Amino acid sequence: MDGSVALYGSSRAEDRQRELLTSGRVPVAVYGLGKMGLPLAAVYAETTGNVTGVDVDPEVVETVDDGHCHVVGEPGLDDLVADQVAAGRLEATTDGPAAAERARIHVVIVPTLLDDRRDPDLSTVEAVTDDVAAGLDPGDLVIAESTLPPGTCRDVLRPHLASESGLGPDEFGVAFCPERTSSGTALRDVRGHYPKVVGGVDDESTRAATVVYDALSSNDVHPVSDATTAEAVKVFEGVYRDVNIGLANELARLADELGISVREAIETANDLPMCQLHDPGPGVGGHCIPYYPYFLLSTMDEPMRLTRTARAVNDEMPAVVVDRLADALAAVDDDVSDASVLVLGLTYRPGVEETRASPALDVVAELSERGADVAGVDPLVDPSEYGARPVALEEIGEESFDAAVVVTPHEEFDRIEWGALESMVVVDARDALDLSGTDHRVYTLAGSTDGRPPSDGSDADGLDRISSTPSPDPAGARRTDGGDDV
């Protein structure tokens, strides 16, 4: 810590504090070098010039120390990591206490998952906190970017740090600064695509964290009243999206009964700025939205019936997709228990190598439970690891399938020559395909895209015989709000 300075409790002018921060005089440790942690550490390195990344995985540490990037699908991250390591501005270690000993700013960005009872599991965050406490000094600032149940910084992290370090709770700072980062655009987002929210357990923590993120981000920094408010901001953002998607999915299930394209109705309703319905889809996946509602549901006395209902609606969507497929097969005198079904896309988002909570996994499991022969194709992951027989994209035409289900519309699927495939039932859970001119029987989860009732030419069983037109906004077929995390 020779020559280093602290920001928390500093009497220096804030301009001087920013100057010290960006000159490398304020060493930073970033705990967690995953798909969000490594981009954050790299941007901290390019901003401050003095960052140690900490991870429990020796292979990750070795990869980063060699100037390489283990996180895929993040434009510019490979080069940024290589440049920062080569310049001596970024290094990595598995030794958390040693990194904490030399750092004055400690940034925690490790996952908060759920246990078997769907209660928040803080064990990983607490383990990192133990490492931080081992090297915590007066004037240090601890920043949590991990999403946490509201009240965690105040009621868990700060007391734990004080107890384990032997410092008084007013001798160091603790702030919460929620990551607002999407897979595939991490560097853009960390550098300032969205305003940065900061909230501390005391006013000085908020002030010091504001100095840090004012240097790190090109966007506005939005200080809020306290750390609990900042924690709530992040959780509320996820709950809003989950509830909105649940509403969209509930409306989508009216498509057959109404004989309309619910997706067309949603898109048209959204012409009004006060209406912002999300896209319906086959479920909600990723490491955020399916988890964050439980950060409130498991800790609050309020019953939160709306949030619980939305979670239940979204959880059951994979089964709804399989129900629709079973109905579609029955309409052509096939049974799902005897069908060979190809599931397209197993990751939770197109182009993202992540399957956590992906609705495709539940679709595969539900099909298998009903006796179907399930094959899968995905350009990023091996379907055999998730219960589906793997089929290469270029080999789809060599097999005969009774049905296909589009769950995650990777761009690579645009190369599929549907017209050359044997006729089958296709359930397009994302409204991502234009199969006009083919012989396939297509069912779109939210109804046909031309919005015509069954009596106007499409099948009364909800199968549109390829007379539909593409979505008015082709890019909309891959929007991420239809059940996908950011």
Side-chain angles (χ1 to χ4, degrees), residues 193-389:
H193 189 67
Y194 305 106
K196 192 63 183 178
V197 175
V198 299
V201 295
D202 53 34
D203 291 343
E204 177 58 14
S205 296
T206 302
R207 187 206 63 79
T210 300
V211 170
V212 172
Y213 285 98
D214 187 57
L216 199 74
S217 172
S218 62
N219 209 320
D220 294 337
V221 178
H222 185 163
V224 294
S225 299
D226 50 35
T228 302
T229 301
E231 291 163 335
V233 167
K234 176 64 175 179
V235 174
F236 286 6
E237 289 169 353
V239 170
Y240 162 77
R241 295 184 65 204
D242 197 42
V243 171
N244 197 319
I245 294 166
L247 174 60
N249 283 336
E250 188 168 71
L251 296 176
R253 293 166 66 170
L254 300 176
D256 286 350
E257 191 172 349
L258 292 174
I260 66 170
S261 165
V262 168
R263 188 177 296 272
E264 180 190 14
I266 287 175
E267 290 173 349
T268 306
N270 285 347
D271 287 343
L272 290 177
M274 65 284 293
C275 183
Q276 291 299 314
L277 287 164
H278 285 0
D279 287 341
V284 178
H287 58 284
C288 298
I289 301 175
Y291 295 91
Y292 295 168
Y294 294 106
F295 289 11
L296 299 175
L297 293 173
S298 65
T299 59
M300 299 291 105
D301 293 333
E302 173 63 35
M304 299 187 66
R305 286 182 289 271
L306 177 61
T307 302
R308 290 185 188 277
T309 299
R311 194 84 290 284
V313 168
N314 290 331
D315 274 346
E316 67 189 14
M317 286 308 295
V320 170
V321 171
V322 176
D323 285 341
R324 297 294 194 263
L325 175 62
D327 292 343
L329 286 168
V332 293
D333 297 324
D334 284 338
D335 193 291
V336 68
S337 64
D338 299 320
S340 59
V341 183
L342 179 66
V343 176
L344 287 90
L346 296 179
T347 63
Y348 83 88
R349 268 185 62 190
V352 175
E353 189 181 356
E354 172 65 66
T355 59
R356 186 176 296 168
S358 173
L361 308 188
D362 288 332
V363 169
V364 169
E366 185 76 18
L367 285 168
S368 298
E369 186 174 329
R370 299 192 194 192
D373 174 24
V374 186
V377 57
D378 192 291
L380 299 179
V381 298
D382 182 359
S384 66
E385 296 182 6
Y386 306 98
R389 176 174 59 84

